[in-house]
Amino acid sequence: MTDIDRATQAVREDRLWRRHLDMAKLGGTARGGVNRQALSPEDAAARNQLMAWARARGFSVSTDAIGNLFVRRAGSDATARPVLSGSHMDSQPTGGRFDGMYGVLAAFEALEALEDAGIATRRPVEAVAWTNEEGSRFQPGAMGSAVFAGHYTLDAMLDVKDWKGVVLRDALTETLAAAPAPGRGERPGFALDGYVEAHIEQGPRLEDAKTTIGVVTGIQGSRRFVVDIVGEEAHAGTTPRAARKDAFVAAVAIAGAMQEATRDADDTLRFTIGRVDVLPGSPNTVPGRVSFTIDMRHPDMEVLDAHEARLRAIVATGAAPCSAGIERVTSVAPTVFDPAVIDLVRDAARRQGLSHMDMPSGAGHDAMHIAALCPTGMIFVPCERGISHNEIENATPADLAAGARVLVEALLRLANR
Ligand code: HGY
Ligand code: MN
Ligand code: MN
């Protein structure tokens, strides 16, 4: 029996499923989802849980200056560049039990399978939980992996505030004090030899195709904006409409115009206004200020550029008698994964007799930043009706384990090449 067979057979579906159920209790919600937002007490609890499991297996743990958490299984060549696998443990406010967490636990399961099978790898293999992938509390998202890749500066991210004004630096200090681990270097980032991330698809294509493994070819481009509209607070009972500078009326006009302007015939562009803050938020005061977020995605940068120009034009002309501005918070170019890693994933699925299909990712992932550092790829498994960013998000133990078996094969091949 080959090392690869021994490693894939050492993946345990029951252990992997039970770990998901254990983690789902940390920030668990009444509807069966999770609210485990970045750098919250629930996030710290998940970090401590992962580190407890890691220490029990004799793996070493460390965190870097943005809080990325690493679980390292030593290789025979300690100086060799490690192979990494992971995702994120932070969730949406009404998130599911598998988004992100599956990638972290599948990576940990791969380490355990290698350990149980007694397989020595030349390179160290590490599981990673990237800080703040969701970006729902602190914008931008995929923050930990972006700082690791040098795409955002650590200092700029430490100064970011959440919607309540909490500074990320303080939330990070609190989290690392609650979930302490040895530091890893002064600044985030170290040389990698390869990265493979497992994730639920967060869309319906695998389930519709009755296919177990998604061989991910890349990730579409994404941009985030914040629109800020300033009017004038006034008395709701005494102020005539003609005299009002109602920031909410302007926001509705602008948002409606944007929805129309971004409608495309083939329904490829993704345009979402996910958060709206109306100030002062009193029923009997005309809103003086409204801000809202925009999340826009498309596989083609030129299409994103053209739509961004449209959004800016709408903001420039559509707010009168209020004033309005639009700020681009993030822009991540479409990601194309490494052909050799794509082949590795596809060959592993084929060798293991699993149904598989090549497909792009509509969702963003930490892999979009790590792809700039080393050969990178992703593995998708189905989720029920493609539903995600929703507490009813669901997946099956068998599919999760199948993805973990493909992952351990890909990691073993990368770690010994
Ligand atoms: O928004 C995304 O694409 C990711 O799920 N955070
Ligand atoms: Mn995710
Ligand atoms: Mn997500």
Side-chain angles (χ1 to χ4, degrees), residues 230-255:
V230 178
E232 186 176 68
E233 293 173 9
H235 194 294
T238 57
T239 315
R241 182 189 287 252
R244 290 184 178 200
K245 291 183 180 178
D246 186 329
F248 183 71
V249 167
V252 168
I254 285 174

Side-chain angles (χ1 to χ4, degrees), residues 64-89:
D64 66 16
I66 192 69
N68 295 318
L69 175 57
F70 302 93
V71 176
R72 181 181 173 103
R73 181 175 185 265
S76 55
D77 178 355
T79 64
R81 288 189 307 222
V83 172
L84 244 63
S85 176
S87 192
H88 58 96
M89 299 199 289

